[in-house]
Amino acid sequence: VRLYNEIGCAEGLRNLRLASLTRLKGIGKTKAISLMAAVELGKRINVNNIISLKKIHETKDVYFYYGSSFLFEEQEKLLALFLNSKNEVLKKKIIFMGTANQSIVHPRDIFKEAILNNAIKIIIVHNHPSGNVSPSLEDKKFTQKLKEAGELLSIPLLDHIIIGKNTYFSFLEQNLL
């Protein structure tokens, strides 16, 4: 209870650091490591339980089922969803982890995975750790490159979704694809 009061909310758990925990009265290094391990286990259990979606019907499905994968990230992370003709997820893969405000990835990395997994379509999801889901100029250029590459390879980009704090931005929903 004291730890929770110090942090202020459950979301604050993502910022737990060994040094900050050991500064709290009654928490030594061993207990701090155990707490950090418990938080990490909780994150993994949550992600594993949510990733049971097999079929994507709309953008909200992607946000609901995969958005929590980005909850505690402090770096940009790009996730690719590889789908079959029925919009069933064949595979999901983290393609790249970047810095606090950018990720650098080439379309070939995404389409190579799509081809290896016999994907018919792809959806790209990445986060903005700042919480602001407005697409940057780089996001817009990258989406255009992916769209063009997908058209050439006959593996269309269905959507590019940016995840922020409790919200998302969809290029498809905003008619930018």
Side-chain angles (χ1 to χ4, degrees), residues 32-46:
I33 291 170
S34 295
L35 286 168
M36 290 175 68
V39 169
E40 181 62 27
L41 180 61
K43 288 192 288 187
R44 290 180 186 196
I45 288 170
N46 186 41

Side-chain angles (χ1 to χ4, degrees), residues 20-134:
S20 59
L21 282 173
T22 54
R23 279 187 241 129
L24 297 173
K25 185 178 178 184
I27 299 180
K29 187 175 181 179
T30 302
K31 190 178 280 186
I33 291 170
S34 295
L35 286 168
M36 290 175 68
V39 169
E40 181 62 27
L41 180 61
K43 288 192 288 187
R44 290 180 186 196
I45 288 170
N46 186 41
V47 168
N48 287 338
N49 285 339
I50 288 177
I51 298 175
S52 60
L53 179 71
K54 296 288 184 210
K55 192 166 187 171
I56 305 295
H57 298 282
E58 58 185 348
T59 300
K60 289 178 185 174
D61 293 336
V62 176
Y63 175 69
F64 181 77
Y65 289 102
Y66 298 97
S68 67
S69 300
F70 300 93
L71 276 178
F72 302 107
E73 293 298 330
E74 295 176 3
Q75 297 175 291
E76 282 200 18
K77 181 167 76 169
L78 188 132
L79 171 73
L81 302 176
F82 303 103
L83 297 98
N84 64 17
S85 60
K86 297 178 183 178
N87 285 357
E88 295 169 329
V89 178
L90 298 169
K91 183 177 181 177
K92 70 173 191 66
K93 183 172 182 180
I94 299 298
I95 300 294
F96 191 80
M97 288 192 70
T99 65
N101 63 358
Q102 70 176 355
S103 64
I104 302 164
V105 67
H106 196 280
R108 76 175 158 260
D109 300 321
I110 295 166
F111 287 101
K112 175 182 147 192
E113 285 294 325
I115 292 166
L116 289 172
N117 288 284
N118 294 315
I120 304 297
K121 310 167 193 175
I122 61 170
I123 296 174
I124 300 302
V125 185
H126 87 275
N127 65 318
H128 282 177
S130 68
N132 179 354
V133 295
S134 298

